[in-house]
Amino acid sequence: MAPPIKPKDSTSEPEAGTAKTLVILAKPPDKNKGTQSGNTLPSPSIQTELLKSPTIAQKTSVSTEQDNGTSSHSTPSTSKDDSFSDLVKNVAQRVYLQQKPSTTQSDGEQKILSPLEMSYPVKLVDESLQWCDNALEYLHDASDFYVIGVLGLQGVGKSTVMSIISGIHSERSKWQLFKPQTNDLKEIGEHCTSGIDMYVTNQRVILLDTQPVMSASVMDHMIQYEKKPPGGPDYHSVENALLMQSLQQAAFMMAVCHTIISVQDWFIDLNYLKFLQSAEMLKPTTPINLHDLNPLPEETTEYYPHIVFVQNRSQKNDFSENSIVKMEETLCYVLQKSKLKYSGCVSPRTQRNPKDPPPKVNLFLIPDKEPPDSDSPVNRFPEYKIHPGYKYLTELLSRQVLSMPRSLLTHTALTEKNWFHYSARIWETVKKSTLFLEYNRLLP
């Protein structure tokens, strides 16, 4: 008896030489959906994409049909409407994703190409010695900046020297970047600059103009307008409060500036030099970022800025070689134990040989401004001057100061915005430091 015939299993592998039959399942036609899809018109941007896509879609469908061995007549007309609506959605989503990042990129490029520029100085520290955040919007994230500050007594020409460094200064005109002391203020003995003013040049040079130190006008302002003396009961007298306020200002400048310009209008005030030494002693230490130092070095180098001594309103005899040598020897003797970088960069001599040794002291002399009619044809025989002139010397001072070396303010490189936040912390540290209170107890 013959064995029974087993039915063929559909899951079993097909025999060799037989073609595999492909079954396509389609949804029943939906008349309403077809009508809606036929009446919907895509947007112009989507139409542009659709003009490019049919060829690719047709090639894909043809290649798929050839691979599967099916004909195009087996697909119902409603499946074409479904695929068309899906294609419209995909193209619309693709166009939206392509347009969104381009808008963000153009906004970013516009911000980079149009940075804010300063047209006048802004307050970094106001009259009440409070920190101001107005200058933060003018700072960038670049690290190639240069901070220059100024210190000096009242009426010595600090604002004028800072205007010379900035390049916004005219010999003939009274207008300059930092407002100088007017004749009316000189008559009543009042100072002009209050707090600390900041200006950023296009070359990313940050200039800090400060109020005078140890000024009687500032002390008079403290007596008249302050409700309580600075420091409260910690200071014994208003004179001591004024001195401690000036020391805090000078110590802050030594901690946040690459170069400090010390301006005097006569040589030499020993009390002012003693004041600079006290400010150097009370300067806050350079903070160490423990996350960046691995391992922690045994000896950390303390930061000290460069200092340039500018002798303003110098007379004709001050420009002689004998007078310059005596000035340099005096400053060297006073600063021999100082850690400030006071030598090797700025020289008052207009003609120097490259083989000459570096200058002993960063000293520079500026004469008085020349009268407007000094170069007129009437003065055919002008008076002999040892120096080459006010304009030439101011340009020489600006070139020498701007070309001075710049060292890191901290153990890590800072950007302009990081420097701003670092300066704010240093200012608060100086105001709350106990070293100034201990120093105040030693005062008479």
Side-chain angles (χ1 to χ4, degrees):
M1 183 177 180
I5 299 174
K6 296 181 180 180
K8 293 185 178 180
D9 190 1
S10 59
T11 59
S12 61
E13 297 181 358
E15 297 180 359
T18 61
K20 183 178 179 180
T21 304
L22 179 64
V23 179
I24 299 176
L25 299 178
K27 295 172 63 177
D30 190 357
K31 296 181 180 180
N32 296 330
K33 187 174 181 180
T35 306
Q36 293 177 359
S37 61
N39 296 332
T40 304
L41 294 177
S43 61
S45 59
I46 298 176
Q47 291 178 4
T48 305
E49 293 290 338
L50 291 177
L51 292 176
K52 302 178 182 178
S53 58
T55 304
I56 301 174
Q58 186 177 1
K59 289 182 179 180
T60 307
S61 61
V62 171
S63 60
T64 307
E65 290 173 359
Q66 291 178 357
D67 295 338
N68 297 334
T70 59
S71 61
S72 61
H73 298 286
S74 61
T75 305
S77 60
T78 55
S79 62
K80 295 182 179 179
D81 297 335
D82 295 338
S83 61
F84 179 79
S85 60
D86 295 337
L87 182 61
V88 169
K89 294 180 181 179
N90 294 334
V91 171
Q93 185 177 6
R94 185 168 56 187
V95 171
Y96 174 75
L97 293 176
Q98 289 178 356
Q99 292 178 354
K100 186 175 181 180
S102 62
T103 305
T104 307
Q105 185 177 2
S106 62
D107 293 339
E109 292 177 355
Q110 186 177 4
K111 291 180 181 179
I112 295 175
L113 295 177
S114 58
L116 294 177
E117 294 184 1
M118 299 185 68
S119 56
Y120 54 88
V122 296
K123 285 291 182 184
L124 188 67
V125 177
D126 60 6
E127 300 177 357
S128 303
L129 302 181
Q130 299 298 323
W131 189 262
C132 302
D133 295 332
N134 301 332
L136 183 59
E137 59 182 350
Y138 299 98
L139 301 179
H140 298 172
D141 290 325
S143 59
D144 55 342
F145 63 96
Y146 185 26
V147 186
I148 302 176
V150 66
L151 291 174
L153 302 176
Q154 179 178 339
V156 296
K158 299 182 298 299
S159 300
T160 302
V161 172
M162 296 305 289
S163 299
I164 292 173
I165 300 299
S166 67
I168 308 177
H169 174 266
S170 177
E171 180 183 1
R172 306 299 182 187
S173 176
K174 295 182 179 180
W175 185 89
Q176 56 190 35
L177 178 63
F178 294 96
K179 184 179 179 181
Q181 188 181 22
T182 60
N183 294 329
D184 296 337
L185 295 178
K186 291 180 181 179
E187 291 176 358
I188 61 177
E190 187 175 351
H191 65 286
C192 182
T193 305
S194 298
I196 301 177
D197 296 338
M198 190 187 82
Y199 181 82
V200 184
T201 64
N202 295 332
Q203 291 76 24
R204 313 316 301 167
V205 178
I206 302 176
L207 303 175
L208 302 180
D209 186 20
T210 62
Q211 69 180 18
V213 297
M214 299 185 297
S215 172
S217 175
V218 176
M219 183 175 63
D220 181 68
H221 186 275
M222 292 167 55
I223 296 174
Q224 292 185 6
Y225 300 101
E226 295 289 343
K227 297 181 181 179
K228 58 181 180 179
D234 297 330
Y235 299 143
H236 305 295
S237 61
V238 182
E239 291 82 0
N240 291 351
L242 173 66
L243 177 59
M244 300 311 299
Q245 178 178 315
S246 300
L247 287 173
Q248 290 176 355
Q249 174 183 322
F252 167 76
M253 298 294 289
M254 291 183 180
V256 301
C257 294
H258 295 99
T259 300
I260 292 179
I261 300 178
S262 175
V263 184
Q264 301 180 80
D265 58 352
W266 62 282
F267 194 85
I268 185 174
D269 191 348
L270 295 178
N271 292 328
Y272 174 70
L273 294 180
K274 182 180 178 181
F275 167 81
L276 292 179
Q277 292 177 343
S278 301
E280 177 189 355
M281 177 183 62
L282 298 174
K283 185 184 78 70
T285 57
T286 304
I288 300 176
N289 191 353
L290 299 179
H291 299 284
D292 296 337
L293 297 178
N294 189 18
L296 186 66
E298 297 180 357
E299 296 182 0
T300 57
T301 58
E302 186 67 21
Y303 171 77
Y304 290 95
H306 293 271
I307 186 169
V308 179
F309 294 92
V310 175
Q311 193 70 22
N312 196 19
R313 304 188 184 98
S314 299
Q315 303 300 320
K316 182 174 64 175
N317 297 331
D318 296 336
F319 288 90
S320 63
E321 184 65 23
N322 188 20
S323 299
I324 293 176
V325 171
K326 289 183 178 180
M327 292 180 185
E328 291 178 344
E329 291 178 353
T330 303
L331 291 175
C332 284
Y333 179 78
V334 175
L335 301 173
Q336 58 183 349
K337 296 183 180 180
S338 175
K339 295 183 179 180
L340 297 174
K341 303 172 184 178
Y342 60 88
S343 62
C345 298
V346 178
S347 174
R349 298 171 179 84
T350 56
Q351 296 181 358
R352 292 187 59 204
N353 191 348
K355 297 182 180 180
D356 293 342
K360 298 180 180 179
V361 180
N362 296 329
L363 176 66
F364 200 88
L365 307 180
I366 298 179
D368 283 330
K369 287 186 178 181
E370 299 175 356
D373 57 347
S374 60
D375 296 335
S376 61
V378 179
N379 298 330
R380 296 183 179 180
F381 301 99
E383 183 182 0
Y384 171 73
K385 298 178 296 185
I386 300 179
H387 56 82
Y390 179 84
K391 182 178 180 181
Y392 178 84
L393 289 175
T394 53
E395 293 177 353
L396 181 61
L397 173 64
S398 179
R399 290 197 302 267
Q400 292 188 10
V401 172
L402 294 178
S403 61
M404 294 180 67
R406 312 171 190 179
S407 56
L408 295 178
L409 297 175
T410 60
H411 298 283
T412 57
L414 298 177
T415 62
E416 295 179 8
K417 294 183 178 180
N418 292 340
W419 170 85
F420 183 85
H421 297 297
Y422 167 75
S423 301
R425 292 196 302 268
I426 291 295
W427 180 251
E428 295 298 328
T429 302
V430 166
K431 291 174 62 177
K432 299 177 181 179
S433 177
T434 57
L435 293 177
F436 292 91
L437 298 178
E438 295 294 334
Y439 185 81
N440 175 63
R441 295 176 183 176
L442 301 177
L443 297 177

